[in-house]
Structure formats: C-alpha cells, structure tokens
Amino acid sequence: MEKSRPLWDNPLQFVFACISYAVGLGNVWRFPYLCQMYGGGGFLIPYFIMLIAEGMPLLYLELAVGQRMRRGSIGAWKIISPYLCGVGVASVVVSFFLSMYYNVINAWAFWYLFHSFQDPLPWATCPLNSNRTGYEEECEKTSSTQYFWYRQTLNISPSLEASGNVQWEQALCLTLAWLVVYLCILRGTESTGKVVYVTASLPYCVLIIYLIRGLTLHGAVNGLVYMFTPKLEQLSNPKTWISAATQIFFSLGLGFGSLIAFASYNEPTNNCERHAIIVSLINSTTSIFASIVTFSIYGFKATFNYESCINKVILLLLNAFDLEEGSLTADNLNEMKDYLMATHPQEYAQLSPQLKNCSLEAELDTAVQGTGLAFIVYSEAIKNMEVPQLYSVLYFVMLLMLGIGSMLGNTAAILTPLTDSRVIATRFPKEVISGVVCFINCVIGLIFTMEAGNYWFDIFNDYAATLSLLLIVLVETIAVCYIYGIRRFEKDLYTMIGRKPNWYWKIMWAFASPLLIISLFIFYLTDYILTGTLQYQAWDATQGQLVTKDYPSYALAVIGLLVAASTMCIPLGALVTFIRKRLKRERVSTVA
Amino acid sequence: MMIIGLTICRISDVLLCNVTDRVSFWFVVTDSSQNMTTVPGSVVEAAIRMNRNRINSAFLLSDKTLQFLKITSTLSPPVEPSTPVWLIVFGVVLCLIVAGIVFLVVAGIQQRKKKNKESTERENLEEKGEVTVTVENGIPCEALDLKAGHINGVFAADDERFTSL
C-alpha cells in the first residue's frame, strides 16, 4: 500500500506559504534602494512591465509543474525529461548554499532583538574608553549604530584573510535560529502549514504600525517627496530595466525548487493560475509598501541629522564669538554667518574648516541597501523615536518573520526531494532527515560567525545564486515549452484547473521570458568579465569607514566553485542519464 | 563656601571678569587670609573637579550644559547588570523552542507506535478471520482518506464542466 502524499489543510495555507517565502528581506532592503537609485517613482514603470513579462508567467509555470508532477524539483524534472534531472539537482544545490548563509541573518535579527530589552538601547550611545574621559576611538570616528554593528555584533576583522575566531555569541544565536527552523519544518506540511499563518501575516501588521508611526515622524515627508519624485530620465538608462528584471526575478524566489515543492503538496485541482497572480501581485505591493515605510524613516533620519548638524554649527559659532544664546537660529544662520565673516574675518577664517555645510539633500542622498539598511539605518532611526524599545522589538520580530518564512521555503526545496526518494525516506523518518539537514547547515554556518564571516557572507550573497538561477530558470522554461511541449502542458493545465491558458501566458512562456532571461544572463556575464578583479568592502577600524579591497585568490576560487557546483549539475545530469541509458541498452542487447 | 586646598573661601573671594553677552565669564579666586593673592589655577581645577556635582546642581545644569574650559568631565559609565540582559532573553526563548521540539518529536514517536500497534492488531484479527474489514480495491476503507489520496481528474465532481440541466 502506497503512502499518500501529505497535503496542505486548505488552499489558504498554500497561498500563505508562497507569500511567506516570496515576501522576504529583499522586499524591505533591496527594493527601496533600487527605487531611490533608478528614478524614484518612475522606477515603478519598468518594475510593473517586468512583473507582467517575466514574474507572473514564470511563477505560474513553476507552480503548475509542481502541482502536476506532485514531486519535488528532482522528481518533477525527471518526469518532464529524464535528461533534465540535473536541473532538479542544481536547484537543490543552490537552495543548500542559500540556506547555509541566509539563516545567519536570522541570527543577527535575534541578537538585535535580545538587545532591545535595555534602556537606553545599546546602539544609542558609544561605550567609554579606558580612562573614561571620552568615547571609544573607533566609535568617535563613525557613529554609535555603525560601531554596534561592526564591532559589537560582527567584531569584524580588517580583511578577508584575517579569519579570527568564532564569536560565541553569534554562534549561540545561529544555533537558536536553526532550532527555530527545525521546529517549524519538523513535521513537514503539518507544522509548516500552521507556522506560515504567522510568518505571512505578522510582517504586515508590523509594517502597518510602522507606516502610521513613520508618516507621523518629524521630517518623514521630506524623505517621501524626495524619493518618490519621478526622475523619468533614468528610464533611458539600461541599468534601470536590468535592475527591475533582476529584482522581480529574485524577489519571487524562482528556480530554487521551493515553489515546486510547495505546489507538489497541493490538491491536483487547485487553481494555481489564480494563486500565481495573487502571490506575485502581493509580493510587488509589499515591496512598494515597505519602501513607503523606509523612505519615511529615511526622511526622519535625514532631518534629524540635518538639524543636529545645524545645532552643532550654531553652538560652535556661539562659543567662538561669545554671542547671546538664541541670537543664532536655523533661520538666520546663513545671514549671521555672512555678517560674522564680514565683521570678524580672521577668527571666522580660523573657524571655517570646522564649520560643516549642512545639507538635507546630502543626508537624503545616502542610499543604502542590504544589511546596512536593515541593521544600521533602521536602528539609528529607532533610537531617536519615543519608546524606542517597543519599536525595536517590533521591527526585529518582523525581520525574523520575513527571514524564517523564506527559510521554510529553502528547507522545503531541500527536504522535499529527499523525502520523495524511496531510498532515504524508507530508512529514516522525516524528523531525522530534517534534523540532519539543519545540523549540517548549522555547522557549516559557523564560518559566518567568525570575525571575517561577514566577508564570506557577502561572497555567498552575491555569487552563490545569481548566475546559476538564471541558467536554471532558462532551462526550465525551454524544457517545458519546447521539450515537454506547450500543447501537452496546456492539456495538463486543462485537466488540473479546467481551463486552457490563454495567449498571454503562452507568448510569455515561449518567447518573452526566455528572451529576457537570456539578456540578463549576457549582461551579468559581460559585467563580470569587464570588471576584471572582483572587489569587496572591508571595514577599516582606524578610519571608521569601509574601504575597497581585492579578493585573495582562494576567495576567487571559492566563488568559481560556488557557481560551477550548481551550473555544472545540469550538463552532468544529462550526461549521466545518457551513459546510464547506453549501458542499459547494451546490457539488454547482449542478454538478448 | 568652598574648601580649596586647606583654605576656606567666601563668595566675596571670587572675582569675575570678562563677562560677555553669552553666559560665560572668567573668574579668579583670591585668598583673603593671605593678602588677596590669587589661588593657583591647578588648585582651583582640583576643587572644581571634586565638587562638580554640587556646582552643576546649584545652577540646575549638567555636564553638557555647563562647561569649564580645560576641565574635561569624567563620563559616567552605563549601568551594567551582572548578567547581560540579552542572555536572559536568549535563555527564555531557547527553553521554549527546545520544549516545543521535544514535544513534537515525542508526539510523533507515540503516533507512530500507535499506528504500528493498530496495523499489527488488524493483521492478527484478519488471520483469525474474525473481523470483516470493508475493503475497496484492496485498500481498507478507513485508510481511504479522500483528502490525502489521488483524485481521478476525469471523475472529479467538477460541476463547471458538466452542462447544467
């Protein structure tokens, strides 16, 4: 008697699982940056065009494949064509790399969350130096939030070569993060299905609270106006379109096998077309929603810094010229500066190197993305709000929910093919398989808790998934359209949801999406080749800022290995199947 | 009254000069017991350092708002509890998560043991021929959980595909 496949309790669990997976940290820390760099409100035009041309069709394709084949990525592609089992293996390898480094972000979120229960917040002030006459030197040169991130959280070393020791605090947080993930995936869809109700909906509650709080902050409107003013001339920059396509592609999490895994637990008659449209639209609207929050936070932070800068200049001038308090204000500062320059030219000239030109635009222009935005900029804004502990806890709980939601998808992509294969599933119960996968990932993840760990994190973040995913999804689309055949696929969809896909879907699958992916692929390859040596940003403690350094040769070798490990699976899989079939044919012919 | 060195000074011994628009001034402290000589600067500095708190509170100011040039204030270190707060919160969350994992694993093992016992019991009963288990196509009816099985798409009761009467 064959064991029946576990299913989601209801279609809502499936939709929530997909949303929880797709809506991740990239929506919060990458999209606002892109919006700011590539034309503000005008960026939404290429973004939506790419969503329609590439996002929705590819998402529907993956969900349909998973739901039809009812197998994880390896099994599903084997059914489509035996030569394509390499595609499934490549997806599993990429998911494995991703889960190795992605959970470190959850560990950092836990660290900040646990530190939010103090008054004042630990990143609000600098620690004192040894003879208590001033603040720590490194903290003086940079800001207290950057010091807390680079020194007290990461304890970062000056370069990749200086590996340093494993930070036990970060190792503890990483272990906790993996235990949480294990708790959620322990029982398969039974436990995952309940957890995604929380991980999908809680971030929205926090974002709404932050939206209300953010919009009522002093100076928030400055940020919103500055960022959303469309700069339509950016539309002629090809990088804008490429960034929009890349963002849609990676934001939906295509090619990892997670979507196929989730869809394989569906009932065969589930309407995945409607779900694909819903999930992709929700993903994009969440990005825009999150960037409204981020820009109002930016505006608040920039206005706060601008006003502090002005106050410092006023204090300096008052002290130097012994003027009455209140005679210099933000409004008359410029006129008074001219007046003082005219009446006391010598003293003013002496003082002028210390007088900074405070500019609100310069503060707004600092565009940050990635961990810098999530952990430095946001914590800086939070420390200046009232009741900062509450907002800090809310914010880091939201980051945790987003991160864990994405991790559930990643681990599902690895575990579903493992539990599908009879060899492994009959010998070990799924608790043991999940436990072993989590344990291996946790041990390897300790690399990222070393002093140079953040540099390795950046390597994995930039190179582990980018090129490989483009190739995987390209092969997937071509396989379904041209090898499996679009007519056969149409018939399958008709059996499943009772409706044939209309001409929009077919044109996108057959022509538009593959062309887009090929152009993205060519762009990335030429970009890597033209830049020559790859470089990274290292933290220089003596200067208190980031400096650019070249990667050492062994790091370049690791990068090459990361890309090769997943992309080579595709041709290797085809080759192995070919050899196996040849051998079987020869064996049969010799026997007969 | 302030004690500077070993001499007691009164308010009349402090002389102000160079008063500006800004609330700032220079002052010297004279020693009335020794013929109006000024007390040396280092002694005054030491006295101010010791009595900084009293001077601040007399003016209702703080170290940030009342500045003595050339006298740097010693900053107070932040209060540190004996165990860092974050470890406490970490411990609480860790215990909760581990309890959850143990509960789920044990429940899973118990469920599996119960299922094994049930299936061996049924096999024993079938051998004895005492229980007629309703069987459909070789699969016992209880195990036919329609939700988790395969649905034959051709026969699915999908009303949309049938023309309505």
Side-chain angles (χ1 to χ4, degrees):
Chain A
M1 184 176 79
E2 200 188 299
K3 214 163 67 162
S4 55
R5 194 174 182 77
L7 293 178
W8 300 109
D9 288 338
N10 53 50
L12 196 63
Q13 280 191 355
F14 167 65
V15 176
F16 271 22
C18 290
I19 292 177
S20 172
Y21 168 66
V23 173
L25 295 163
N27 300 63
V28 171
W29 77 26
R30 178 99 179 128
F31 182 79
Y33 169 77
L34 290 176
C35 216
Q36 190 184 349
M37 295 294 288
Y38 295 116
F43 184 70
L44 294 177
I45 298 176
Y47 189 67
F48 274 111
I49 292 179
M50 291 301 166
L51 175 69
I52 295 177
E54 166 196 32
M56 280 194 219
L58 292 175
L59 182 64
Y60 183 23
L61 187 89
E62 285 220 358
L63 291 183
V65 166
Q67 193 173 303
R68 172 74 185 83
M69 308 302 168
R70 314 196 85 224
R71 287 264 174 285
S73 53
I74 299 184
W77 295 108
K78 230 191 238 178
I79 296 177
I80 295 229
S81 157
Y83 292 103
L84 287 178
C85 61
V87 176
V89 176
S91 291
V92 173
V93 169
V94 173
S95 290
F96 187 68
F97 288 152
L98 188 79
S99 53
M100 264 198 270
Y101 78 84
Y102 200 83
N103 222 10
V104 179
I105 305 174
N106 290 332
W108 292 331
F110 268 123
W111 169 264
Y112 269 80
L113 177 66
F114 296 151
H115 277 88
S116 307
F117 292 98
Q118 298 172 2
D119 181 37
L121 290 172
W123 54 83
T125 47
C126 279
L128 303 175
N129 60 17
S130 39
N131 53 3
R132 297 210 196 139
T133 50
Y135 297 118
E136 273 275 342
E137 203 185 309
E138 189 181 347
C139 198
E140 286 272 310
K141 299 233 172 68
T142 167
S143 64
S144 54
T145 42
Q146 286 194 312
Y147 178 79
F148 186 77
W149 170 246
Y150 285 111
R151 189 52 48 212
Q152 288 175 322
T153 308
L154 299 174
N155 196 15
I156 204 164
S157 62
S159 72
L160 188 71
E161 291 91 337
S163 296
N165 308 321
V166 171
Q167 306 299 304
W168 65 267
E169 299 99 339
Q170 297 304 315
L172 278 182
C173 290
L174 182 67
T175 321
L176 180 67
W178 274 111
L179 283 175
V180 170
V181 170
Y182 181 55
L183 177 67
C184 299
I185 60 173
L186 184 47
R187 300 282 217 97
T189 47
E190 207 183 303
S191 49
T192 312
K194 311 267 185 332
V195 171
V196 292
Y197 283 129
V198 177
T199 57
S201 45
L202 193 68
Y204 288 100
C205 299
V206 177
L207 275 176
I208 290 177
I209 295 176
Y210 257 88
L211 184 72
I212 300 173
R213 174 77 270 224
L215 289 176
T216 51
L217 283 172
H218 166 65
V221 183
N222 294 339
L224 282 173
V225 163
Y226 186 72
M227 312 294 182
F228 274 123
T229 338
K231 305 175 191 74
L232 288 173
E233 62 273 6
Q234 285 286 343
L235 284 182
S236 54
N237 179 5
K239 274 213 152 194
T240 311
W241 297 87
I242 289 172
S243 302
T246 316
Q247 175 63 14
I248 289 277
F249 188 86
F250 291 120
S251 175
L252 285 171
L254 303 161
F256 285 101
S258 314
L259 294 163
I260 297 182
F262 280 154
S264 70
Y265 298 118
N266 267 339
E267 309 227 359
T269 51
N270 183 47
N271 190 350
C272 52
E273 178 179 353
R274 185 155 35 130
H275 290 157
I277 299 178
I278 292 176
V279 170
S280 46
L281 279 177
I282 290 185
N283 183 47
S284 299
T285 9
T286 311
S287 294
I288 299 173
F289 187 36
S291 50
I292 296 180
V293 175
T294 307
F295 291 155
S296 44
I297 300 271
Y298 267 154
F300 166 67
K301 177 179 102 71
T303 311
F304 188 86
N305 288 345
Y306 171 68
E307 285 175 359
S308 313
C309 177
I310 294 237
N311 284 336
K312 275 203 201 112
V313 169
I314 289 179
L315 192 65
L316 206 60
L317 287 173
L318 283 178
N319 278 343
F321 294 103
D322 281 332
L323 302 165
E324 197 184 320
E325 282 87 21
S327 57
L328 281 182
T329 62
D331 302 319
N332 63 11
L333 185 62
N334 282 328
E335 294 135 26
M336 291 300 285
K337 271 162 81 169
D338 295 332
Y339 168 72
L340 289 169
M341 193 154 51
T343 47
H344 303 87
Q346 275 171 336
E347 291 110 349
Y348 193 86
Q350 260 183 345
L351 204 54
S352 53
Q354 294 174 37
L355 287 175
K356 280 193 282 187
N357 254 334
C358 300
S359 151
L360 185 60
E361 248 121 54
E363 295 281 339
L364 284 169
D365 255 337
T366 51
V368 196
Q369 61 164 330
T371 48
L373 170 57
F375 292 106
I376 299 179
V377 171
Y378 261 91
S379 52
E380 193 175 321
I382 289 173
K383 80 174 202 265
N384 296 323
M385 296 183 190
E386 287 109 44
V387 199
Q389 284 80 12
L390 170 68
Y391 291 108
S392 182
V393 168
L394 276 178
Y395 173 66
F396 290 111
V397 166
M398 177 186 81
L399 279 192
L400 268 175
M401 291 296 116
L402 290 173
I404 290 180
S406 301
M407 278 306 293
L408 294 180
N410 289 335
T411 43
I414 303 174
L415 286 174
T416 310
L418 287 179
T419 47
D420 282 344
S421 95
R422 308 250 169 80
V423 172
I424 302 178
T426 42
R427 295 228 191 97
F428 306 107
K430 60 172 179 276
E431 286 90 343
V432 173
I433 303 177
S434 326
V436 168
V437 169
C438 289
F439 180 71
I440 294 178
N441 272 319
C442 187
V443 168
I444 300 180
L446 288 176
I447 298 176
F448 302 108
T449 57
M450 293 195 302
E451 286 179 28
N454 197 38
Y455 302 130
W456 289 107
F457 176 85
D458 283 333
I459 287 184
F460 272 73
N461 196 17
D462 291 334
Y463 302 109
T466 35
L467 271 180
S468 335
L469 279 182
L470 287 169
L471 189 64
I472 291 173
V473 176
L474 181 65
V475 173
E476 284 184 4
T477 329
I478 294 180
V480 168
C481 288
Y482 300 109
I483 300 182
Y484 190 70
I486 208 159
R487 297 209 184 282
R488 213 166 135 199
F489 196 56
E490 262 185 334
K491 271 201 216 121
D492 287 339
L493 285 172
Y494 182 70
T495 330
M496 283 201 295
I497 62 177
R499 191 170 53 240
K500 284 203 174 177
N502 60 24
W503 55 267
Y504 156 68
W505 298 112
K506 287 192 275 197
I507 292 182
M508 293 300 148
W509 287 334
F511 303 113
S513 307
L515 280 174
L516 263 172
I517 300 177
I518 291 176
S519 43
L520 276 181
F521 196 68
I522 293 176
F523 166 75
Y524 273 107
L525 273 181
T526 45
D527 200 43
Y528 285 151
I529 295 172
L530 283 177
T531 31
T533 49
L534 298 167
Q535 296 178 315
Y536 69 104
Q537 303 279 72
W539 177 255
D540 187 348
T542 49
Q543 289 179 41
Q545 60 183 19
L546 293 166
V547 292
T548 323
K549 289 199 175 157
D550 286 332
Y551 276 126
S553 45
Y554 62 86
L556 292 174
V558 168
I559 295 177
L561 220 80
L562 279 176
V563 178
S566 40
T567 44
M568 285 301 123
C569 287
I570 304 179
L572 272 178
L575 194 66
V576 164
T577 321
F578 180 69
I579 292 177
R580 257 208 217 144
K581 287 206 166 170
R582 243 322 169 68
L583 286 175
K584 211 193 280 182
R585 214 181 303 152
E586 280 173 15
R587 209 181 308 138
V588 166
S589 60
T590 50
V591 166
Chain B
M1 288 218 286
M2 207 151 63
I3 300 181
I4 297 185
L6 285 172
T7 46
I8 299 175
C9 304
R10 289 189 201 70
I11 298 174
S12 47
D13 291 336
V14 179
L15 302 172
L16 301 177
C17 46
N18 245 1
V19 179
T20 58
D21 281 340
R22 183 141 165 69
V23 181
S24 75
F25 44 83
W26 290 88
F27 67 93
V28 287
V29 183
T30 55
D31 197 349
S32 50
S33 60
Q34 286 187 19
N35 257 348
M36 304 305 265
T37 48
T38 53
V39 179
S42 51
V43 181
V44 179
E45 264 183 52
I48 292 178
R49 257 190 238 271
M50 254 187 5
N51 292 294
R52 191 62 193 266
N53 264 346
R54 284 177 64 194
I55 302 176
N56 280 348
S57 46
F59 288 108
L60 293 178
L61 293 171
S62 66
D63 277 356
K64 276 218 165 96
T65 37
L66 175 63
Q67 186 192 14
F68 286 92
L69 292 175
K70 292 187 212 157
I71 302 181
T72 49
S73 47
T74 50
L75 303 161
S76 58
V79 176
E80 283 219 19
S82 48
T83 24
V85 174
W86 79 272
L87 267 181
I88 300 174
V89 187
F90 171 78
V92 168
V93 175
L94 184 68
C95 288
L96 285 173
I97 301 286
V98 171
I101 291 178
V102 167
F103 170 72
L104 278 183
V105 169
V106 167
I109 294 178
Q110 278 182 347
Q111 223 177 39
R112 212 166 292 134
K113 258 196 230 157
K114 211 167 58 169
K115 226 190 282 177
N116 279 343
K117 213 167 48 159
E118 265 179 21
S119 62
T120 47
E121 272 179 15
R122 191 177 303 125
E123 278 171 23
N124 292 338
L125 290 172
E126 277 178 1
E127 279 174 18
K128 290 192 201 156
E130 278 179 15
V131 172
T132 45
V133 180
T134 40
V135 163
E136 171 133 3
N137 275 342
I139 307 171
C141 272
E142 298 108 53
L144 249 188
D145 186 356
L146 286 169
K147 193 166 66 90
H150 286 264
I151 296 180
N152 192 336
V154 179
F155 296 109
D158 192 347
D159 292 325
E160 292 170 11
R161 279 192 271 133
F162 297 113
T163 47
S164 50
L165 292 169

